[in-house]
């Protein structure tokens, strides 16, 4: 886990900038929660250690069955940790209209988050979020 409390505010600022940039594009999402059922949706959500540390510092990670491959923060089909969710959640939109723009935004913020981790000597691991959460909840 991060030894650097300042990461908490820095990652928050990065997410804040990201949200402002996404709002200017407004790719559209009806918050149906379908994409948080990873098997059903056919994709894998990746996250970094610095981001899952940020989640762990701010919310309790519920016990969950990784075999179900549904995000444990999905409650009544709504994200229960919107403020703390990771980059991969924030930049994913099923609407294909802005695919290239969103990919560029993803790469830009991935680099910012990685630089933050390196600057603060936080281990850099980018892996499926379910696996990382399971390790933290053990
Ligand atoms: S991105 Fe699409 S699938 Fe995911 S919550 Fe929004 S509308 Fe639903
Ligand atoms: S953190 Fe929230 S948005 Fe991300 S997969 Fe889980 S429920 Fe969905």
């Amino acid at each position: 886990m991060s030894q650097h409390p300042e990461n908490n505010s820095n990652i928050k600022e990065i997410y804040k900038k990201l949200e402002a940039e996404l709002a200017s594009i407004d790719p559209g999402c009806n918050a149906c929660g379908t994409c948080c059922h990873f098997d059903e949706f056919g994709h894998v959500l990746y996250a970094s250690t610095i981001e899952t540390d940020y989640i762990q510092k701010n919310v309790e990670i519920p016990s969950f069955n990784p075999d179900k491959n549904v995000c444990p923060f999905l409650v009544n089909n709504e994200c229960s940790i919107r403020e703390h969710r990771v980059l991969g959640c924030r930049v994913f939109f099923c609407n294909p209209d802005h695919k290239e723009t969103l990919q560029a935004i993803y790469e830009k913020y991935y680099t910012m988050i990685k630089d933050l981790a390196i600057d603060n000597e936080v281990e850099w691991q980018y892996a499926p979020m379910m696996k990382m959460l399971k390790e933290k909840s053990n």
Side-chain angles (χ1 to χ4, degrees):
M1 187 188 297
S2 163
Q3 302 300 308
H4 303 271
E6 69 271 22
N7 287 342
N8 218 15
S9 58
N10 287 349
I11 197 110
K12 202 171 166 180
E13 281 162 24
I14 290 175
Y15 287 152
K16 200 172 158 191
K17 274 188 204 158
L18 169 63
E19 291 301 334
E21 204 162 328
L22 291 172
S24 70
I25 304 165
D26 191 16
C29 167
N30 64 13
C32 67
T34 310
C35 55
C36 311
H37 296 252
F38 307 121
D39 280 349
E40 208 175 295
F41 208 80
H43 68 174
V44 180
L45 172 65
Y46 277 73
S48 61
T49 309
I50 195 168
E51 291 176 286
T52 48
D53 281 356
Y54 178 65
I55 291 175
Q56 191 179 28
K57 273 187 210 156
N58 288 284
V59 299
E60 193 178 335
I61 300 174
S63 59
F64 66 99
N65 178 358
D67 295 339
K68 281 193 170 173
N69 215 8
V70 175
C71 181
F73 299 116
L74 190 68
V75 179
N76 297 327
N77 253 7
E78 285 182 6
C79 178
S80 60
I81 60 156
R82 275 189 74 76
E83 257 183 79
H84 304 109
R85 72 202 196 285
V86 303
L87 171 66
C89 302
R90 292 170 193 263
V91 298
F92 180 80
F93 293 89
C94 60
N95 176 353
D97 292 353
H98 304 275
K99 205 173 171 186
E100 283 173 20
T101 309
L102 289 169
Q103 181 64 29
I105 291 175
Y106 173 77
E107 285 166 16
K108 174 176 155 187
Y109 284 87
Y110 173 95
T111 302
M112 285 166 73
I113 292 168
K114 189 170 182 179
D115 287 348
L116 177 68
I118 291 168
D119 286 351
N120 289 280
E121 298 174 1
V122 178
E123 169 201 25
W124 180 254
Q125 193 191 354
Y126 204 65
M129 187 173 87
M130 294 291 274
K131 178 177 170 281
M132 296 181 72
L133 292 178
K134 196 62 205 163
E135 284 166 8
K136 286 182 183 297
S137 68
N138 283 337

